[in-house]
Amino acid sequence: MSAMFRITLPDGSVREVAPGTTPADVAAAIGPGLAKAALAARIDGQVRDLNRPFEGDTNLALVTAKDEADALELVRHDLAHVMAEAVQHLFPGTQITFGPATDDGFYYDFAPKDRQFTEDDLPAIEAEMRRIIARNEPFTREVWSREQLIETWTKQGETFKAEWAAELPDGEELTIYRQGQWLDMCRGPHMASTGKLDPNAFKLTRVSGAYWRGDQKNAMLSRIYGTGWLNKKQLDQHLFMLEEAAKRDHRKIGAEMDLFHLQSEAQGSVFWHPKGFILWRQLEAYMRRRLDAADYAEVKTPQLMDAKQWEQSGHWGKYRENMFVVPDEVPNTEDEGQVLSGEGDLMALKPMNCPAHVLIFKQGIKSYRDLPIRMAEFGCCHRNEPHGALHGIMRVRQFTQDDAHIFVREDQLVDEVRKFCELLDSVYKHLGFDSYAIKLALRPEKRFGSEAMWDWAEQSLRDAVAATGRDTAEYGWEELPGEGAFYAPKLEFHLTDAIGRTWQVGTIQTDTVLPERLDASYVGEDGNRHRPIMLHRAILGTFERFIGILIEHHAGRFPLWLSPVQAVVATIVSDADDYADEVAATLRKAGIRVETDLRNEKINYKVREHSVAKVPVLLVVGKREAEEGKVAVRRLGSQAQEFVTVDEIVARLRDEATPPDLR
């Protein structure tokens, strides 16, 4: 008789089972409720198929819908396979490529036989997916050889899959998964059968083009996206969020409010209109006041630096593909001949400010008494992002960071990070974000520095957050193994917006590598040279992206102090034009950003137009208001109207328009 396997359950109990036993068998032995609820198994920490036999003694935890992250990953992976089968059934001759799960769903790339897919095809594909789910086909795992894979895909006319299979490494276990007669190369895991999926908990959302293997030189494929959830309630919540997100799209609202525009002549750069730049300036002025109060010194550093400087800092080797490189030579102005000779030394537009800040630190001798030195810069940077990755003002090539670097001694680090956390907390709350999570990104596999340095740096960040009382579930405190930068661990700050989306914006990270590479030092109390620790930190991240987040969070309805236009005085009749100008002048003198609307249009038309432009306060004036020295006040989003004196509305708006740090 074969030796029995010892299976240790989460409660510490041990069950002995015969070879060939599966996690599904263990679940059934525990009880019918668990057998029904189990979706997969976690074997020694790794999620695997419920029906895959044990291979030896192991720790077992059964995955159910309560393990939401694992369950959603399984559901979305299964739905991708079901969608691929549905597409190939409805459109014979379509080839499959890859179909992964994503953060909120799944997609699959197809090579159609006759034409690219469109969104008109999605309802039929959804209906076919539901038929496959209803068939309750088991997902079965098989181990194949590379030759078997190549032969099968070639025979089926799956040229893309055959190409990929031919490149798989020798000696690796290669698996396919079947659902009925349909199969695909896949590492798994999957749930027990298609019937475990809720047929009402998914929706196909859109179609786009994608190049085979991400290379524009290769064939264009049709990518079909879907979103998938555990149940219909989750799906409905997600679709509502998507609908809200579409309404709040910063590109749409930015156009309605006349804040900015983008165009192909400057890919990835923003054309800020006067109103948009008012918003920028208000945010920048607020941040500058906060930095001044926190004892930061503001600096300004060059856009272009010699490539040798980037080589010394280490960015040239690790970041060059994202840098705009510029030859240091005068271009040829003649019609004939090359514009550039190619012989000039290379320079680069800065993708970040940190090396330049170290160069400022190195000017003159620094003493231990001078530290901490807090150096801030609203620095314009450039990164060579691929065209396909650009997204409105959220992902751009030219951007301005609210960047700062703090040079500290070891004994100052915890207190300095604590102060930063408290400043960041105050800024986020002033800007309307009451909820954010703090994550500690720990050492990656490839890194600089000793283990002792990493131990110390990670613990210092833990201690700093603990000192603020924010290492709690309320602040979403979490440690993320392997996600630190190659030179340092970092704290990440993830904002939650008005519709529940999260945005990683702020960060602070320790760095002992760059001061070493660029030979930065200070004279210690012992008279010897010591390396400072460099804290890289940002609160907003970049102005462009943060303004995009602000637009979507507030849906364009900014708090009054940030609103580009704080009030509009609109006339009902032309006889009130002079009075409207007087009211506007009084408001302007009080520091209110105000415009007048004296057009010969009906007042309801004016109200609608200024509502679309998200003007927070509309002051309507006619003959009656002019005679009584009053205004009719309409607030954005309200049908109510009140009549008040000009002095009263000036006092109210002046208080509301005062930035929160000045109240």
Side-chain angles (χ1 to χ4, degrees):
M1 181 178 176
S2 300
M4 302 289 277
F5 295 153
R6 290 173 56 83
I7 309 302
T8 304
L9 300 175
D11 64 1
S13 63
V14 175
R15 289 176 177 251
E16 292 195 346
V17 301
T21 302
T22 67
D25 296 328
V26 173
I30 293 172
L34 184 58
K36 183 178 180 181
L39 303 176
R42 188 172 281 281
I43 304 294
D44 291 333
Q46 181 182 11
V47 179
R48 289 170 54 168
D49 302 331
L50 203 59
N51 291 319
R52 184 173 167 183
F54 296 112
E55 295 164 0
D57 296 347
T58 191
N59 294 298
L60 167 66
L62 293 165
V63 175
T64 69
K66 293 180 180 178
D67 305 297
E68 191 166 290
D70 289 335
L72 284 171
E73 179 84 11
L74 289 160
V75 162
R76 290 162 181 167
H77 195 174
D78 289 3
L79 283 167
H81 279 230
V82 169
M83 178 174 71
E85 181 185 351
V87 167
Q88 289 198 303
H89 177 77
L90 292 172
F91 304 95
T94 297
Q95 294 187 58
I96 56 173
T97 62
F98 298 117
T102 65
D103 287 342
D104 64 358
F106 54 94
Y107 70 79
Y108 221 106
D109 289 344
F110 301 96
K113 180 182 178 183
D114 302 316
R115 61 170 177 83
Q116 297 294 311
F117 295 129
T118 70
E119 294 189 4
D120 291 340
D121 298 317
L122 301 186
I125 298 170
E126 285 183 352
E128 182 63 22
M129 289 174 68
R130 291 190 174 93
R131 282 192 284 273
I132 295 169
I133 290 170
R135 290 207 310 262
N136 197 21
E137 298 279 7
F139 286 103
T140 56
R141 176 181 183 270
E142 299 174 19
V143 179
W144 282 19
S145 68
R146 187 171 61 169
E147 291 70 26
Q148 190 178 1
L149 283 169
I150 296 170
E151 181 184 355
T152 298
W153 295 133
T154 303
K155 190 179 296 183
Q156 292 183 3
E158 296 279 4
T159 59
F160 296 95
K161 285 290 189 183
E163 176 187 324
W164 186 255
E167 297 178 17
L168 294 173
D170 291 326
E172 184 176 311
E173 184 177 70
L174 306 176
T175 56
I176 64 106
Y177 275 81
R178 293 184 185 274
Q179 61 216 41
Q181 297 302 308
W182 189 89
L183 60 87
D184 191 8
M185 279 191 297
C186 181
R187 289 196 177 111
H190 285 273
M191 295 192 293
S193 70
T194 63
K196 288 285 187 180
L197 295 165
D198 184 335
N200 299 309
F202 75 90
K203 182 174 179 59
L204 302 185
T205 54
R206 61 191 174 96
V207 179
S208 72
Y211 293 107
W212 167 237
R213 303 177 79 164
D215 188 336
Q216 61 184 5
K217 297 175 185 176
N218 292 337
M220 173 63 78
L221 307 173
S222 273
R223 176 173 293 179
I224 300 179
Y225 288 91
T227 186
W229 300 86
L230 298 177
N231 51 60
K232 188 175 186 301
K233 181 180 178 182
Q234 286 185 342
L235 173 65
D236 289 344
Q237 288 172 340
H238 180 71
L239 294 178
F240 174 77
M241 189 272 286
L242 290 180
E243 186 179 330
E244 279 296 304
K247 292 177 187 175
R248 294 166 180 263
D249 190 306
H250 70 280
R251 295 164 297 183
K252 171 177 173 286
I253 293 175
E256 292 170 348
M257 296 182 69
D258 192 24
L259 302 180
F260 60 83
H261 84 274
L262 302 132
Q263 63 184 71
S264 59
E265 286 80 359
Q267 284 277 358
S269 298
V270 185
F271 292 82
W272 289 100
H273 297 190
K275 290 176 183 176
F277 203 57
I278 288 171
L279 172 60
W280 177 298
R281 287 174 56 202
Q282 290 302 310
L283 189 60
E284 184 179 48
Y286 166 80
M287 290 304 301
R288 184 169 278 120
R289 290 192 302 270
R290 300 306 309 271
L291 293 177
D292 288 346
D295 201 24
Y296 284 77
E298 190 173 347
V299 299
K300 190 73 174 172
T301 58
Q303 286 288 298
L304 269 173
M305 291 203 299
D306 195 294
K308 294 183 180 66
Q309 179 63 36
W310 298 109
E311 288 172 10
Q312 190 178 353
S313 71
H315 293 92
W316 193 251
K318 292 187 175 293
Y319 207 76
R320 187 168 66 244
E321 66 182 27
N322 297 110
M323 298 169 74
F324 286 99
V325 178
V326 181
D328 186 10
E329 64 172 286
V330 178
N332 173 28
T333 58
E334 301 299 325
D335 291 337
E336 296 182 2
Q338 293 183 328
V339 176
L340 297 170
S341 70
E343 296 175 1
D345 292 335
L346 295 180
M347 306 183 76
L349 286 169
K350 65 177 178 181
M352 54 199 63
N353 301 306
C354 31
H357 288 189
V358 177
L359 297 183
I360 292 178
F361 178 87
K362 289 175 63 179
Q363 295 297 301
I365 297 171
K366 300 297 186 295
S367 162
Y368 70 95
R369 293 189 184 93
D370 297 324
L371 273 55
I373 292 174
R374 306 179 186 96
M375 199 179 296
E377 178 174 10
F378 298 127
C380 181
C381 298
H382 291 78
R383 294 183 186 171
N384 196 356
E385 300 279 3
H387 287 194
L390 301 175
H391 175 66
I393 65 174
M394 297 287 204
R395 184 104 180 248
V396 291
R397 287 175 153 186
Q398 177 185 294
F399 55 89
T400 299
Q401 294 179 304
D402 73 316
D403 203 11
H405 295 92
I406 308 172
F407 299 88
V408 297
R409 307 187 306 263
E410 276 194 29
D411 62 295
Q412 296 172 320
L413 185 140
V414 169
D415 192 52
E416 201 59 36
V417 175
R418 177 189 61 78
K419 289 177 180 176
F420 168 75
C421 290
E422 290 171 351
L423 173 62
L424 172 141
D425 181 84
S426 170
V427 169
Y428 288 169
K429 286 181 168 55
H430 279 169
L431 294 173
F433 296 96
D434 295 324
S435 176
Y436 62 89
I438 306 176
K439 317 286 185 185
L440 173 57
L442 303 172
R443 69 195 77 184
E445 186 176 338
K446 295 181 180 179
R447 57 186 180 269
F448 289 152
S450 66
E451 293 305 293
M453 181 278 285
W454 280 91
D455 290 341
W456 171 81
E458 290 171 352
Q459 191 56 47
S460 295
L461 293 179
R462 286 189 191 97
D463 292 344
V465 177
T468 68
R470 294 182 174 90
D471 58 341
T472 63
E474 178 189 355
Y475 284 91
W477 173 253
E478 184 182 3
E479 297 194 1
L480 307 174
E483 295 195 21
F486 67 88
Y487 53 85
K490 60 180 177 176
L491 291 176
E492 300 176 352
F493 298 84
H494 298 250
L495 289 179
T496 301
D497 72 9
I499 57 174
R501 297 171 300 180
T502 59
W503 307 88
Q504 199 262 298
V505 285
T507 183
I508 186 165
Q509 46 198 304
T510 58
D511 183 5
T512 59
V513 172
L514 200 58
E516 180 73 32
R517 293 183 72 99
L518 298 183
D519 193 30
S521 66
Y522 66 91
V523 178
E525 194 171 6
D526 58 3
N528 296 323
R529 290 179 68 209
H530 297 267
R531 297 285 182 218
I533 297 158
M534 188 177 184
L535 299 176
H536 303 248
R537 49 111 296 182
I539 295 176
L540 306 183
T542 73
F543 274 81
E544 288 81 358
R545 182 168 177 266
F546 198 88
I547 289 173
I549 294 168
L550 273 175
I551 291 170
E552 298 199 1
H553 175 62
H554 291 290
R557 299 181 176 191
F558 300 112
L560 199 66
W561 69 278
L562 275 176
S563 293
V565 178
Q566 294 170 322
V568 167
V569 183
T571 54
I572 300 172
V573 292
S574 58
D575 290 349
D577 286 0
D578 290 343
Y579 179 63
D581 285 333
E582 290 174 19
V583 172
T586 303
L587 288 165
R588 211 168 280 123
K589 189 175 180 181
I592 305 301
R593 295 187 289 276
V594 61
E595 295 179 351
T596 57
D597 186 347
L598 311 181
R599 293 173 300 165
N600 186 23
E601 298 283 358
K602 292 183 178 179
I603 191 61
N604 287 342
Y605 176 86
K606 295 181 181 181
V607 170
R608 281 195 302 274
E609 197 168 73
H610 294 303
S611 295
V612 169
K614 307 296 188 292
V615 175
V617 181
L618 188 62
L619 307 177
V620 178
V621 296
K623 283 185 180 180
R624 174 187 165 191
E625 288 78 16
E627 290 169 359
E628 298 180 5
K630 293 185 175 181
V631 292
V633 182
R634 291 171 177 254
R635 295 278 184 164
L636 181 62
S638 172
Q639 299 298 317
Q641 181 172 280
E642 60 173 333
F643 293 87
V644 299
T645 65
V646 174
D647 287 345
E648 187 176 350
I649 194 61
V650 166
R652 282 193 208 171
L653 296 184
R654 185 165 46 201
D655 287 344
E656 285 183 48
T658 301
D661 62 308
L662 298 178
R663 290 175 188 167

